[in-house]
Amino acid sequence: MTDAPLAPGSTIGILGGGQLGRMLSLAASRLGFDVVILDPEDNSPAGRVSRGQIVAAYDDPVALNVFGRVCDVVTFEFENVPASSMERLAEAGARVAPGPVALAVAQDRVDEKTFLNGVGATTVDFVPVETLNDLTAAIETLGCPALLKTRREGYDGKGQVWIKSPKDAAKAFEAIGGRPAILEARADFVRELSIIAARGRDGATAIYPLGENKHAGGVLRTTVAPAEVDVKTERRARAIARAVLDGLDYVGVIGIELFDLGSGKLLVNEIAPRVHNTGHWTQDGCVCDQFEQHIRAVAGWPLGPTAPHARVEMQNLLGDEVDQWAKLAGKADVRLHLYGKAEARPGRKMAHVNKVRPL
């Protein structure tokens, strides 16, 4: 298999048909690529803006075989796609990016934190938990408050619970279904930051400025970027990004969430081996946004510029907040990005807006 850049007219496959897949497909189309989506939901948001969609489970062997044969490179839009599916595609000769190793590491919080500390990207202290007895011992080690999370799956605050006292252990373990978990020490941070970074097939990297994030109920509400940070913090964040990218031999865009402890000290909260919600600001703040950057990377193209030309406040629209679309569309300083989802369920990400300001 050649590592030559894919020519326009080649086909890019995306596992996952949600909003990230949709925005990746639109970016790929601008660069002249065709896109095929594999997703179990018929008429998915990404499928509707792509050349075609295979409607099948992510681990369907027949669908994966067809998918691998019709696509020149395969990527994914979210990290809950089975790593075994990417392995199957790679073993069958398909070009995949990012690779299955990065996906597998990000799917298990213990493996993720072990990897991060191994490359010098420090995290909070943590203890793996399999049983209630393990949890009781872990609380004695880390103290309270501490955060209990399932080892696998869970996002936007799901699959996790704070433990404020040792007597809460049994109730907390029951709340996550008694599943394999991780107990994390509380981070005494000033604010939450994130950095979006990319690595090409040739090892070149491109890193965007930091964003400052605010969450509510475990869900990201806003990102402001470029964040106001000192030089020491910016340099440390970039060093972390390069260490993670190189440690995973990564190809594509990655999102890295950080706890800012002040004075240039950062802890990594978690990594997302994909384009990331906190990078949506790049769509209206940079010449080359995170979606085009990811397509460039997986296709073997040169990476694009990451310098900002505007300051952006990105705001997620959840549930029926999307009904504000007409009002928002009339504002000169606002760019509206709708995801094409049919049902506006409470808490569901339906769209985002980028409020653009001069630098």
Side-chain angles (χ1 to χ4, degrees):
M1 185 190 308
T2 178
D3 274 336
L6 294 182
S10 301
T11 299
I12 294 177
I14 302 174
L15 284 164
Q19 69 263 23
L20 299 180
R22 182 184 178 96
M23 289 182 276
L24 283 170
S25 182
L26 292 170
S29 296
R30 288 199 306 273
L31 299 182
F33 294 109
D34 290 332
V35 176
V36 174
I37 304 296
L38 194 158
D39 191 280
E41 177 189 338
D42 189 19
N43 199 33
S44 70
R48 294 202 303 277
V49 299
S50 301
R51 179 182 179 185
Q53 177 182 337
I54 298 173
V55 181
Y58 297 125
D59 58 356
D60 184 311
V62 175
L64 289 171
N65 181 50
V66 173
F67 195 54
R69 285 192 286 108
V70 301
C71 298
D72 296 293
V73 66
V74 174
T75 189
F76 49 88
E77 68 144 3
F78 72 126
E79 62 269 40
N80 286 334
V81 169
S84 59
S85 295
M86 295 297 285
E87 290 169 0
R88 181 188 289 269
L89 286 163
E91 289 168 359
R95 195 185 211 184
V96 299
V101 172
L103 185 58
V105 166
Q107 287 179 343
D108 186 300
R109 289 187 172 90
V110 173
D111 291 347
E112 178 186 61
K113 282 187 164 49
T114 301
F115 161 76
L116 288 168
N117 285 284
V119 298
T122 311
T123 69
V124 295
D125 293 333
F126 66 95
V127 178
V129 171
E130 296 285 340
T131 67
L132 180 56
N133 287 338
D134 290 343
L135 178 56
T136 301
I139 292 171
E140 291 180 2
T141 299
L142 298 180
C144 289
L147 185 59
L148 181 67
K149 298 179 179 178
T150 54
R151 280 186 67 154
R152 303 179 67 84
E153 300 179 340
Y155 60 94
D156 287 345
K158 300 179 178 70
Q160 57 185 264
V161 59
W162 279 100
I163 298 177
K164 299 179 180 179
S165 167
K167 70 177 187 296
D168 298 332
K171 185 177 180 180
F173 197 56
E174 181 182 355
I176 65 164
R179 290 186 286 170
I182 181 174
L183 188 69
E184 300 177 2
R186 180 179 180 275
D188 187 18
F189 59 92
V190 177
R191 57 182 173 169
E192 295 184 36
L193 301 171
S194 60
I195 194 160
I196 305 297
R199 185 173 183 269
R201 291 188 176 277
D202 59 357
T205 59
I207 302 175
Y208 291 92
L210 283 157
E212 181 174 347
N213 309 312
K214 295 194 184 303
H215 293 75
V219 180
L220 179 72
R221 295 311 316 244
T222 63
T223 296
V224 176
E228 294 185 6
V229 296
D230 56 33
V231 173
K232 189 176 180 181
T233 300
E234 185 82 37
R235 286 177 178 169
R236 178 56 185 151
R238 288 175 171 268
I240 288 171
R242 292 191 185 94
V244 171
L245 291 169
D246 291 340
L248 292 171
D249 193 20
Y250 197 84
V251 175
V253 164
I254 195 169
I256 304 174
E257 297 180 1
L258 303 162
F259 294 134
D260 181 7
L261 308 185
S263 303
K265 295 179 181 179
L266 298 171
L267 296 177
V268 180
N269 179 27
E270 61 183 27
I271 60 174
R274 54 172 171 81
V275 288
H276 197 250
N277 198 166
T278 64
H280 291 353
W281 71 271
T282 62
Q283 290 174 297
D284 300 298
C286 300
V287 171
C288 179
D289 67 38
Q290 65 165 344
F291 300 99
E292 179 180 326
Q293 195 76 273
H294 186 77
I295 297 301
R296 284 171 169 264
V298 304
W301 284 29
L303 299 181
T306 57
H309 57 68
R311 184 175 302 281
V312 177
E313 178 183 334
M314 188 285 302
Q315 179 182 348
N316 279 325
L317 300 182
L318 308 180
D320 61 9
E321 291 174 354
V322 73
D323 294 341
Q324 305 172 45
W325 63 266
K327 177 182 177 182
L328 292 167
K331 295 186 176 182
D333 60 347
V334 168
R335 291 293 303 278
L336 177 61
H337 299 265
L338 294 157
Y339 300 156
K341 295 180 178 179
E343 184 182 0
R345 296 191 299 269
R348 190 183 194 194
K349 293 175 182 174
M350 299 298 296
H352 68 270
V353 293
N354 283 333
K355 301 176 182 179
V356 182
R357 303 286 187 273
L359 276 175

